[in-house]
Structure formats: C-alpha cells, structure tokens
C-alpha cells in the first residue's frame, strides 16, 4: 500500500571514476529538507530561482524487475538533496507492490521534491542510469463539466477596455422555479466573466470589455436536472434578463421518476435493468475526483481513498468538480426503479481521488493502491501534460498482475493524452448521437459534420485521437449522477471510458472464459484476452480508425462461440468464434495497440 515512509540509513549511490558522487557535482551550501504528507504549499522561491516539483524513483529493467544496485537506498538521495541549496524534500512515498531489490529488503519508493529548474536539469544529466528524475506534473480531468468554447481564448485576447458593464441574469427551470447554484458565463472580446446564481436564481456579473451589446455568447448550466443552454448574440437588457432551462424530462419522459437506460447503453447492447448481467464479483478502481456517495444511487460505494493534499479518511466522498461522481454513476449506479442505472450495478467500486490539485506522484500512488487491492479493472479519467516513465512502469506492472486499465483519450481535440497514449492501457475516444440533446445546448459544439458516421453517430470534435486509439464509446450528452442527489447531461472521453469499463466488468463477470475457462487466473494474458474481446465486438460507425478506433463495443457481439450458454448474450454468440490468443508482442502488449511515442502532448 502506498504510504509515507520514515527515514532509514542507506548506502551511497553509484560514483564516477574519480570516486565522486555524480550528483554532488552540483552541490551547493547546506540547504533545507522538509518532509510532509501533503502535496506542498505555496512557498516563495529564492530571488532569481524557480522551484519546480520533481519525482525521483527507480527505473525498471525489461520484464519489470528493478535494476538498481543491490544495496541502493533512497535514503542517500534524500540525504544528498537535503544538503543542496534551492531544494526542498516534500514527501517520500513507499510503493508496496513492486518487487524488492533483494530478498528480505523493503519495497521501492519515490521521493517528491521542489528543485530549482536549472539544478534539476543538471541532476537529470548526472544521475545514475537506474534513477528517474521527472516533473511531478499536475493532473487534470478530461473535464466535460467545464465551460465550452469554440477555440482557445487566451491566445487571441484583446487588451481589456476600461468599460465595465453590470449584467443581471435570472435563471429558471421546470415550472418556472428559480435555479440556485447555476453557472452563468458571458463571453465577448475580453476575458469571460462568470458567476453562480443565488437562491432567487439571479447571477450578477461585472463584464469587462464593452457594453452589453458586445456580449457574444451566454452560457448557462444548472447544478442538476436540466439541459444547459448556449445563446449566441444574446439580447440582454439593462435590467434583469430571464433565461429558462429545459428539464431533462423534456427529452426523457418522466425522468428521474422513471428509470432511464441511457442512449449510450442501448448503443452498446447494455441493459442491466433486467438483472441478467450485473458485474457481480468484479472489483473496479476509479481514479478521478472522488465520489459523492450520499447520492441515493451511489450509497453502496463505501471504499475509497483521497491522495490529494489535506486528505482525511472520508474526503474521497467530497467531489468538488462532480467529475468522478458522474463517471461512478455510469459504471455502478444501483438498480432501482428511478433515475439511471449503471452498466455494472453490482460490481464493487473503489474510488481514488487525485484531483483537483493532484500530481503525477499521486497518480502513481493511486495505481499502486489498485495493485495492492488486487482489483480487476482501473478506470483512469485523469490526464497530464507530459510523459511519466514512472507512471508508465506502474501501468505495465498493473497489466502484468492481471489488471486491465481503461483510459480516457482526453478532451483537447488533438493527439491522445497521457496516459491514454501508452500501450499498457486501452484508450477510449468519445462519440455522440444526433437528436439526443436540444439544439440550443452546448452539446451541439461537439458535432463536426466531417466526422458524422452511420446511424447519426459522430466522432466528438473535442475527443483525443491517434493511432493508439483502441475503441470509442458514448461521450456526448450522457446523463449520470452528480453531487447533491441530482443528474446532469455531460460530455467527455471520461464518460466514454466509463461505458467501456462497465462493459468490461460484465464480460469478466459473465463470460465463460473468465469464469471457468483459460483466463480465470489473474495474468497479463487475461488482460490481453479481455481487451481483444472488447475490440472484436466493436462496430465501426466512424470511418477513420484514428477517430473511432475499432468502433463502439457491443455486448451482444462479444465473441463466445459454442462455449456461451444458450442466449447468454442477446445475439452474436453463434455468429462469432472465440479468437485465438497467440503469443503477445515482444513488449507484452496486444499488437493492435501500437507502441508508445517518446512523449505525449497535453490532450
């Protein structure tokens, strides 16, 4: 289990031919060392110095075994860093599931420190081959609850004008009731301005950059139970303007009083409402922003951990951005007569909170915790703006231990995000379907005519893409749970990945090959077989495989051959034969996934 570690003595690390410690070439005067369990506080850098966060760990040899010297210890690294100027040790994280360096010794660990950027570059150049020194980059969610925009605004900003305009917007919903805590955003030539509505449904915003006539777009999203609304060139008066939002029930009759099986579940052949397929016995980890388990459909979720700063035993249940709660509902919302129902409602969900504010080191610790708990699946809905060798190693370790990792492709509309671009995971892009959302909602922005495929299915314009993409899944206007007990329709590759994770749980729980067949035991071959089955079931609605991968997985098309019980899946058991699982590629990954690039771009 990942945890903070106490100091212990250790041996010196590799020295050069002159007998000097190669790291000590950059030594300065006595510095400072501070250990803490948090993610670091805002501290002032010395004049002219910029301290960045770095994580230091051991590089694994081919096959996953560490190749550090037999008597190596991170104690010496910490001791050395403590002697340096412009260096501050923040934390040491013990990783409990990697192989020990030698029999009887403790498992590996990583060190997180703030280091002057120039010094860090020198340390990277001087470090022995077995040490990895890399940025402890911030994590972000594939944030489908963010404010939709046509383009990157920051790069095209005009200087702010001195004109300040006060705007008042009142938001009402079903039965003209005022909607509190709704987000209201105004966009014009300057920076966007936003505010939340009060108990009367009113938001008061000061807009800089022109008069009310220069406001180009008005966007409103309620806290729950309504479609958002995007108004281009709004006609706003000098007084309070009133905007009405449509309830979700306008498209889905009697929702949430009546149970809803989402359009995405229908597309993927998933209908857990009948009780035949539940995901029972499968253990799933969700690495995201936490989960509000006070929601009536999520009260059964009782296992979790918060890896962010200031964590407590229960803080994983505080979802500040609603992202993890939405994904948890797609996968695991309980089977009732009201609201939505998750793809695998009886699976065992474990929640690991790493955002907001988390970093690569927190993702590393969360993945290690998943391995420690011997989970079957990991749903990864976070991304980073750079490549991490340590995270890549940990994902490969999870795969070797029989854990299938399914990752969101990212919401930047460009190359796949990290870690979705890694071959150790299954990368999932987002698709949408026409007529599943109002024409004046922000969901329309995801439609790109050139990416429209069969049956009204389209590749979402915001979705990450590339040759490493495995499959695609529903990720536009997906209705799921949000904190506070309500529901919202949201977009993102995280929603798509959650659909595939739910489908994977159903296959593991009910497919004969994983129950009494050749892949019952936990192994890398088991993961390979599962991901190949998912890919083999996919229907290619979108012509470009870099946008849609192999297509959208369909439970009714999962290969099973004669080994399936009669009517196990609605159709397809007799139309598809179990694929032959030959040897893995040299890297131990399915050949169709592709090899990892040297580095990853953000989204």
């Amino acid at each position: 289990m990942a945890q903070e570690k106490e100091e212990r003595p250790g041996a010196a690390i590799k020295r050069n031919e002159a007998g000097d410690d190669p790291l000590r070439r950059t030594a300065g005067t006595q510095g400072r060392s501070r250990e803490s369990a948090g993610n670091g506080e805002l501290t002032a850098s010395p004049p002219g110095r910029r301290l960045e966060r770095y994580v230091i760990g051991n590089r694994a040899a081919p096959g996953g075994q560490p190749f550090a010297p037999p008597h190596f210890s991170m104690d010496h690294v910490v001791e050395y860093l403590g002697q340096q100027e412009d260096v501050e040790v923040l934390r040491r994280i013990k990783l409990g599931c990697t192989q020990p360096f030698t029999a009887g010794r403790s498992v590996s660990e990583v060190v997180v420190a703030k280091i002057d950027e120039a010094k860090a570059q020198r340390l990277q150049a001087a470090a022995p081959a077995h040490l990895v020194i890399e940025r402890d980059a911030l994590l972000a969610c594939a944030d489908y609850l963010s404010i939709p925009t046509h383009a990157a605004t920051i790069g095209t900003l005009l200087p702010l004008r001195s004109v300040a305009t006060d705007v008042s917007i009142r938001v009402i919903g079903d039965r003209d009731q005022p909607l509190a805590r709704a987000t209201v955003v105004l966009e014009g030539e300057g920076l966007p301005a936003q505010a939340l509505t009060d108990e009367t449904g009113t938001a008061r915003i000061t807009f800089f950059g022109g008069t009310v006539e220069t406001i180009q777009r008005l966007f409103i999203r309620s806290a729950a139970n309504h479609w958002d609304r995007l108004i281009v060139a709004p006609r706003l008066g000098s007084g309070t303007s009133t905007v009405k939002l449509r309830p979700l029930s306008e498209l889905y009759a009697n929702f949430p009083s009546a149970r809803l099986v989402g359009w995405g579940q229908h597309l993927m052949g998933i209908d857990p409402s009948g009780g035949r397929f539940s995901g029972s016995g499968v253990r799933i980890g969700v690495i995201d922003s936490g989960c509000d388990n006070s929601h009536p459909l999520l009260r059964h979720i009782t296992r979790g951990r918060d890896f962010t700063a200031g964590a407590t035993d229960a803080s994983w249940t505080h979802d500040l951005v609603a992202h993890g709660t939405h994904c948890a509902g797609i996968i695991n919302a309980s089977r009732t007569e009201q609201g939505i129902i998750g793809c695998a409602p009886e699976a065992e969900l474990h929640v690991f909170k790493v955002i907001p504010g988390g970093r690569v080191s927190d993702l590393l610790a969360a993945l290690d915790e998943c391995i420690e708990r011997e989970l079957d699946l990991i749903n990864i809905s976070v991304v980073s703006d750079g490549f991490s060798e340590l995270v890549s190693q940990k994902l490969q370790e999870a795969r070797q231990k029989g854990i299938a990792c399914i990752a969101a492709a990212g919401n930047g509309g460009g190359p796949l995000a990290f870690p979705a671009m890694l071959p150790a995971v299954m990368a999932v892009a987002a698709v949408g379907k026409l007529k599943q959302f109002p024409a004046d909602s922000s969901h329309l922005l995801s439609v790109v005519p050139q990416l429209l495929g069969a049956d009204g299915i389209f590749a979402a314009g915001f979705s990450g893409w590339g040759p490493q993409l495995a499959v695609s899944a529903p990720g536009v206007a997906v209705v799921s749970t949000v904190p506070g007990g309500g529901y919202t329709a949201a977009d993102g590759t995280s929603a798509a990945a959650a659909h595939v994770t739910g489908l994977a749980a159903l296959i593991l729980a009910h497919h004969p090959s994983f129950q009494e067949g050749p892949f019952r035991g936990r192994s890398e071959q088991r993961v390979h077989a599962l991901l190949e089955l998912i890919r083999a079931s996919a229907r290619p609605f979108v012509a470009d495989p870099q946008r849609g991968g192999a297509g959208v997985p369909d439970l009714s098309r999962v290969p099973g051959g004669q080994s399936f019980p009669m009517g196990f899946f609605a159709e397809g058991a007799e139309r598809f034969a179990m694929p032959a699982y030959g040897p893995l590629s040299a890297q131990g990954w399915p050949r169709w996934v592709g090899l990892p690039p040297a580095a990853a771009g953000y989204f």
Side-chain angles (χ1 to χ4, degrees):
M1 181 180 301
Q3 56 184 304
E4 302 303 325
K5 172 194 168 295
E6 69 280 3
E7 288 282 349
R8 65 174 186 267
I13 60 177
K14 181 179 177 183
R15 298 175 180 273
N16 62 18
E17 294 180 357
D20 297 322
D21 185 329
L23 291 179
R24 294 188 187 276
R25 300 171 194 165
T26 59
T29 59
Q30 178 70 28
R32 60 188 184 277
S33 175
R34 180 177 59 82
E35 307 243 0
S36 73
N39 281 351
E41 298 79 24
L42 181 62
T43 58
S45 299
R49 301 289 189 179
R50 178 180 179 184
L51 299 186
E52 298 282 355
R53 282 178 60 125
Y54 288 84
V55 57
I56 304 171
N58 282 292
R59 178 173 284 115
Q65 297 298 322
F67 66 91
H71 302 293
F72 171 77
S73 169
M74 278 288 176
D75 293 328
H76 183 71
V77 173
V78 172
E79 178 186 354
Y80 171 74
L81 293 175
Q83 297 171 356
Q84 303 306 299
E85 196 175 50
D86 304 335
V87 173
E88 182 181 7
V89 174
L90 299 177
R91 49 193 306 220
R92 298 175 71 172
I93 306 172
K94 185 168 68 176
L95 303 178
C97 300
T98 54
Q99 294 293 324
F101 300 133
T102 58
R105 291 189 62 83
S106 61
V107 295
S108 70
E109 63 177 314
V110 296
V111 174
V112 180
K114 283 186 175 181
I115 308 175
D116 170 64
E117 194 168 8
K119 181 185 291 289
Q121 293 174 359
R122 296 194 296 271
L123 290 175
Q124 288 170 327
H130 66 85
L131 274 186
V132 177
I133 303 175
E134 59 186 22
R135 286 187 182 275
D136 192 19
L138 279 166
L139 301 174
C141 59
D143 194 356
Y144 49 50
L145 297 183
S146 62
I147 305 305
T149 56
H150 286 295
T153 307
I154 300 300
T156 57
L157 284 179
L158 298 175
L160 288 177
R161 301 174 185 175
S162 59
V163 178
T165 302
D166 292 329
V167 180
S168 179
I169 306 290
R170 184 169 183 264
V171 182
I172 59 175
D174 193 25
R175 300 186 179 89
D176 293 340
Q177 295 297 310
L179 297 179
R181 297 174 49 246
T183 303
V184 181
V185 183
L186 302 174
E187 289 188 350
E189 293 182 346
L191 287 169
Q194 61 180 310
L196 293 175
T197 58
D198 59 20
E199 294 302 318
T200 69
T202 304
R204 296 170 178 83
I205 307 173
T206 300
F207 176 73
F208 294 92
T211 63
V212 69
E213 288 80 12
T214 64
I215 295 174
Q216 298 169 359
R217 298 202 305 168
L218 168 62
F219 171 73
I220 302 174
R221 171 176 283 134
S222 70
N225 301 332
H226 291 78
W227 296 99
D228 68 28
R229 190 168 178 186
L230 182 66
I231 304 174
V232 179
R235 297 180 179 179
L236 302 176
S238 56
T240 299
S241 301
T242 300
V243 180
K244 185 171 184 177
L245 301 185
R246 295 181 173 90
L248 294 175
S249 59
E250 187 172 294
L251 185 60
Y252 301 115
N254 300 320
F255 181 80
S257 298
R259 182 164 57 197
L260 171 66
V261 176
W263 73 266
Q265 292 170 311
H266 284 297
L267 184 68
M268 296 179 67
I270 299 172
D271 185 1
S273 61
R276 297 175 61 201
F277 311 117
S278 65
S280 178
V282 177
R283 309 173 79 207
I284 305 172
V286 174
I287 299 179
D288 209 302
S289 62
C291 173
D292 178 11
N293 64 353
S294 68
H295 194 291
L297 300 186
L298 304 177
R299 289 173 180 160
H300 61 286
I301 301 176
T302 59
R303 301 169 178 87
R305 183 175 176 185
D306 185 355
F307 290 89
T308 63
T312 65
D313 290 344
S315 57
W316 63 269
T317 65
H318 305 154
D319 186 1
L320 302 178
V321 295
H323 192 269
T325 305
H326 194 269
C327 290
I330 295 171
I331 299 171
N332 198 225
S334 64
R335 186 187 286 116
T336 69
E337 296 302 318
Q338 295 184 340
I340 67 164
I341 182 170
C343 296
E346 294 182 17
E348 181 180 297
L349 209 68
H350 297 241
V351 176
F352 303 101
K353 180 177 178 178
V354 297
I355 54 174
R359 293 180 179 267
V360 162
S361 56
D362 301 305
L363 174 58
L364 191 64
L367 290 169
D368 193 75
E369 183 86 2
C370 291
I371 298 172
E372 175 76 6
R373 298 189 186 194
E374 297 185 340
L375 304 184
D376 298 293
L377 298 165
I378 305 176
N379 184 89
I380 305 173
S381 297
V382 296
V383 298
S384 175
D385 64 354
F387 180 86
S388 167
E389 183 178 348
L390 295 173
V391 169
S392 179
Q393 289 178 180
K394 186 59 65 175
L395 286 167
Q396 183 59 20
E397 181 190 347
R399 186 183 179 97
Q400 291 170 347
K401 292 183 181 296
I403 304 174
C405 299
I406 298 170
N411 285 14
L416 294 184
F418 181 88
M421 37 69 70
L422 294 173
V425 306
M426 169 170 268
V428 184
V431 298
K433 186 175 182 180
L434 299 178
K435 299 182 180 180
Q436 295 299 317
F437 48 83
D440 62 352
S441 69
S442 69
H443 308 294
L444 188 66
L445 297 178
S446 65
V447 182
V448 179
Q450 294 84 349
L451 303 180
L452 186 61
D455 299 334
I457 305 299
F458 59 88
F462 59 77
S463 181
W465 54 271
Q468 308 96 336
L469 188 65
V471 294
S472 49
V476 177
V478 175
V479 176
S480 187
T481 49
V482 291
Y487 306 86
T488 198
D491 303 343
T493 55
S494 294
H499 276 92
V500 175
T501 300
L503 179 139
L506 297 179
I507 296 175
L508 287 177
H510 304 288
H511 196 290
S513 293
F514 301 98
Q515 292 301 301
E516 62 269 358
F519 305 115
R520 183 178 182 180
R522 299 170 63 86
S523 66
E524 185 172 9
Q525 286 70 29
R526 181 179 191 247
V527 175
H528 177 88
L530 173 63
L531 300 188
E532 285 287 357
L533 279 175
I534 293 173
R535 185 175 182 271
S537 76
R539 289 189 290 167
F541 292 98
V542 178
D544 185 355
Q546 294 204 42
R547 291 284 186 178
V552 177
D554 186 335
L555 190 63
S556 67
R557 294 167 55 96
V558 172
Q562 296 180 354
S563 61
F564 274 118
M566 182 65 67
F568 183 79
F569 292 142
E571 58 177 284
E574 66 282 353
R575 293 192 290 113
F576 293 87
M578 176 69 76
Y581 296 102
L584 300 176
S585 66
Q587 292 77 21
W589 306 307
R591 292 184 176 89
W592 54 267
V593 177
L595 298 176
Y602 188 42
F603 289 81

